[in-house]
Amino acid sequence: MRQEHRVLESLAALSYRAGDLESYLDEIASGVSRLIQSDWSIVTICEGEAGRVLANSLGRGLSDCEFSTHGTLVAEVVQTGRSLIIEDIRTESRSAMPPDGYLCYLGIPLKTPTGDVIGTICSFLRQPRQFSEAEVRMVELFAERAAIAIDNYRLYHQQQQFNERLEREVATRTEELRISQATLIERERLAAIGEFTAMIVHELRNPLTTVELGLRYAHRKLSETGDPERLAIALSESARLKHLLNEILLYAKPQELKRSQLNLTRFLQDLLGQLREMPEASDRHITLTSDRPDVEIVGDVDKLTQVFINLIRNAAEAIAAHETVRCQITAAAQPDQICVHIHNGGDPIPAEILPKLTTPFCSTKPSGTGLGLAIVKRIVMAHGGDLAIASDLETGTTVSVCLAIAPVRS
């Protein structure tokens, strides 16, 4: 009765808090050693043939070491799920032995509430001795506490990991929802702007056409007697205004794509053959290199033609005669994308203008409308791609268009 009272006092003194498993198990190992007067007690956890000492009655510094359970007394206890008593190893013939210097061994399995054996409490004595049933039951009580603590610790950390994954998933889904909502709002806004713009452009085109016809008539009638230069300026401004209205309409209306699968390298090779004949490319060199000549994309051929004509024309206008516009197709940072880089070595774009270049009515050209790159960006984004512009004094200007790679045809 006295010994059982000591056991109850020892168990009542144990204090476990989530996250403080090592101290709790050290208390259990020390308590077992005191109760059965063993020289050394440890708490182990096992998985397969790998074991680890979680607690040690001889001090914290000897814990948290790993060992192989193959051919050990620990493995026998875990495999059988029963307590193992060796009163004097010298009187037994077995392959598994206690550590050198120890003759007596008591091993108790750690069983979870579901019946799984996850480790052991092992006690070692330098001298032979017998264990009563009451002593074994006492150590089994400590083993039960240790198993519950380890199981709860595992469940606690699994719950923490689940909560962290859940928080990350919620954050990801929330961000995706925010982007989707922003995209929807932007589409609705652009649709409303497009409808309004189309109406304005339509209303302006009619009187503008009338004015232009009148100017052309006046130019024919008054070219000999009047002032032809003023009429020429008026006609030029009329044409510029008509071009501006067309670009506004092109920017504002939704980007409806007619998609088809095409080889990007061949597409650009064919396009560059035509672009070398345009006035802006006169006396300029345009080259194309491709690291991925076999890559195909899915896109609207007409829209992509518009994108690359605009970008290559801009690059050609930025350099002097006999200089080179370099087009290069390379792999993107994202494995499912391919990038087209268009480089020119002309004067760099001022740093204060660079972030605004793809916004409407921002242009580095004196006569530019500022809608060309804005339209390019909208087309690229409609394809699910990315547009980036980098410019500095040393390397010149590079415009990069990254597009999704088409799925491999089966």
Side-chain angles (χ1 to χ4, degrees):
M1 292 294 294
R2 183 176 175 183
Q3 195 171 31
E4 290 179 1
H5 182 69
R6 287 171 56 203
V7 173
L8 293 174
E9 285 182 344
S10 297
L11 289 172
L14 293 174
S15 174
Y16 173 64
R17 296 183 302 276
D20 192 24
L21 181 66
E22 289 184 0
S23 297
Y24 183 76
L25 295 179
D26 279 342
E27 291 177 21
I28 286 179
S30 299
V32 168
S33 282
R34 286 195 302 270
L35 287 169
I36 62 173
Q37 298 179 342
S38 66
D39 297 301
W40 179 31
S41 295
I42 60 173
V43 178
T44 71
I45 187 169
C46 303
E47 186 171 353
E49 293 189 355
R52 186 158 63 94
V53 177
L54 296 181
N56 193 318
S57 65
L58 298 181
R60 175 68 63 84
L62 299 175
S63 301
D64 201 27
C65 62
E66 296 182 353
F67 63 95
S68 172
T69 62
H70 180 70
T72 64
L73 296 173
V74 167
E76 186 174 338
V77 174
V78 171
Q79 289 167 5
T80 63
R82 297 192 299 270
S83 300
L84 175 63
I85 301 171
I86 300 176
E87 296 177 348
D88 188 347
I89 193 65
R90 294 172 299 183
T91 64
E92 298 196 24
S93 175
R94 56 171 56 245
S95 56
M97 302 284 287
D100 290 343
Y102 294 96
L103 301 177
C104 183
Y105 171 83
L106 173 62
I108 307 294
L110 301 183
K111 293 184 179 180
T112 66
T114 58
D116 296 325
V117 179
I118 59 174
T120 64
I121 289 181
C122 302
S123 289
F124 306 93
L125 295 87
R126 297 186 183 279
Q127 299 299 323
R129 65 158 288 188
Q130 294 181 337
F131 294 98
S132 66
E133 290 184 7
E135 287 177 319
V136 174
R137 284 198 301 271
M138 286 190 296
V139 180
E140 287 174 347
L141 287 174
F142 278 89
E144 181 182 326
R145 289 291 187 91
I148 291 172
I150 293 170
D151 196 43
N152 288 344
Y153 183 83
R154 284 176 165 177
L155 291 173
Y156 171 75
H157 280 276
Q158 287 174 0
Q159 186 63 43
Q160 274 193 323
Q161 291 171 357
F162 174 78
N163 291 342
E164 290 171 1
R165 288 197 303 270
L166 185 60
E167 287 176 5
R168 289 195 297 268
E169 185 70 16
V170 168
T172 300
R173 297 303 180 197
T174 301
E175 179 63 14
E176 289 176 352
L177 180 60
R178 186 193 67 77
I179 293 172
S180 297
Q181 288 176 332
T183 302
L184 180 60
I185 291 170
E186 178 67 8
R187 285 178 180 172
E188 290 176 347
R189 185 183 72 84
L190 288 172
I193 291 173
E195 186 177 345
F196 177 73
T197 303
M199 182 182 67
I200 294 296
V201 169
H202 177 73
E203 292 299 320
L204 288 176
R205 269 180 173 170
N206 289 336
L208 178 60
T209 301
T210 303
V211 170
E212 186 178 17
L213 289 173
L215 288 172
R216 291 188 182 281
Y217 176 79
H219 188 264
R220 289 197 304 271
K221 294 293 184 180
L222 304 177
S223 59
E224 296 179 359
T225 59
D227 189 346
E229 290 185 1
R230 291 192 179 186
L231 284 172
I233 291 172
L235 284 168
S236 174
E237 289 298 293
S238 175
R240 193 166 73 90
L241 182 55
K242 184 184 290 185
H243 177 68
L244 175 59
L245 290 176
N246 288 336
E247 289 211 328
I248 291 173
L249 188 61
L250 186 61
Y251 174 76
K253 71 178 183 180
Q255 296 295 328
E256 298 177 357
L257 304 181
K258 297 178 181 178
R259 299 179 186 268
S260 62
Q261 191 157 326
L262 64 149
N263 179 284
L264 183 59
T265 301
R266 287 200 297 270
F267 165 73
L268 286 177
Q269 284 173 339
D270 294 342
L271 182 62
L272 292 184
Q274 304 169 33
L275 293 183
R276 291 186 180 97
E277 304 301 322
M278 65 184 181
E280 293 86 352
S282 177
D283 297 327
R284 273 83 168 169
H285 305 290
I286 304 176
T287 64
L288 173 65
T289 58
S290 179
D291 297 343
R292 301 284 304 276
D294 58 330
V295 165
E296 295 195 340
I297 62 170
V298 175
D300 186 312
V301 174
D302 291 337
K303 299 285 187 184
L304 291 176
T305 298
Q306 183 181 350
V307 165
F308 290 110
I309 285 177
N310 189 299
L311 296 179
I312 294 170
R313 177 185 285 130
N314 287 349
E317 289 176 343
I319 58 176
H322 308 299
E323 292 185 356
T324 302
V325 174
R326 291 182 173 84
C327 303
Q328 185 179 17
I329 300 174
T330 67
Q334 301 295 330
D336 59 346
Q337 284 190 329
I338 190 76
C339 278
V340 180
H341 307 284
I342 299 169
H343 171 267
N344 75 79
D347 293 336
I349 300 168
E352 65 275 12
I353 295 178
L354 196 59
K356 306 174 186 176
L357 268 184
T358 55
T359 58
F361 306 109
C362 176
S363 177
T364 58
K365 302 175 186 177
S367 60
T369 64
L371 284 170
L373 283 176
I375 294 170
V376 163
K377 183 176 181 180
R378 285 206 63 203
I379 294 174
V380 172
M381 290 179 65
H383 281 80
D386 300 299
L387 177 72
I389 305 174
S391 186
D392 59 56
L393 187 61
E394 292 183 4
T395 60
T397 300
T398 301
V399 181
S400 299
V401 176
C402 294
L403 300 167
I405 296 174
V408 178
R409 294 174 179 174
S410 57

